[in-house]
Amino acid sequence: MLFALPPATAPAQEIGGVYAVKGTNFDGTTYRGKATISLTDSTNCRIVWETGGATSVGICMRNLDAFSAAYALGHSFGLVVYHIQPDGSLEGVWSTADQSGAGTETLTPQAAQR
């Protein structure tokens, strides 16, 4: 008699840390910068983006291979939804309230500084 074992699942990768940001605005122009994700527990976090001379802050949450963040930038607020890639990068789309269109963004984890 054979017994089937449940498939082994890989442990969730650590999501906190510093990321290089590369994105595209609604009009197709590009931007770069840095994002820092600080975990508050196993699924929730804070995120700070520094791009194009501006800083935006938000809250974030992980659910399996999905990662989302709500953010404030000046008097606007928005939402970004990322898909966690096998290499640890985050690929997503974002939008800002009361504007049509969407931008794209990739966060690439940076090696820890020693």
Side-chain angles (χ1 to χ4, degrees), residues 10 12 16 19 25 31 34 40 47-49 53-54 56 59 67-68 72-73 77 82 86 89 97 104-105 111 114:
Y19 292 77
N25 292 305
Y31 62 90
K34 173 177 93 166
T40 55
I47 185 168
V48 177
W49 290 268
S56 56
I59 61 169
F67 184 79
S68 60
L73 178 60
F77 58 93
Y82 298 100
S89 64
T104 63
E105 187 169 272
R114 293 190 187 242

Side-chain angles (χ1 to χ4, degrees), residues 24-76:
T24 304
N25 292 305
F26 296 174
D27 63 3
T29 60
T30 60
Y31 62 90
R32 292 183 179 271
K34 173 177 93 166
T36 304
I37 299 172
S38 303
L39 299 175
T40 55
D41 65 29
S42 63
T43 57
N44 299 305
C45 53
R46 294 242 177 220
I47 185 168
V48 177
W49 290 268
E50 297 173 44
T51 58
T55 299
S56 56
V57 296
I59 61 169
C60 40
M61 183 176 193
R62 178 185 185 153
N63 183 27
L64 302 174
D65 66 348
F67 184 79
S68 60
Y71 62 90
L73 178 60
H75 297 294
S76 297

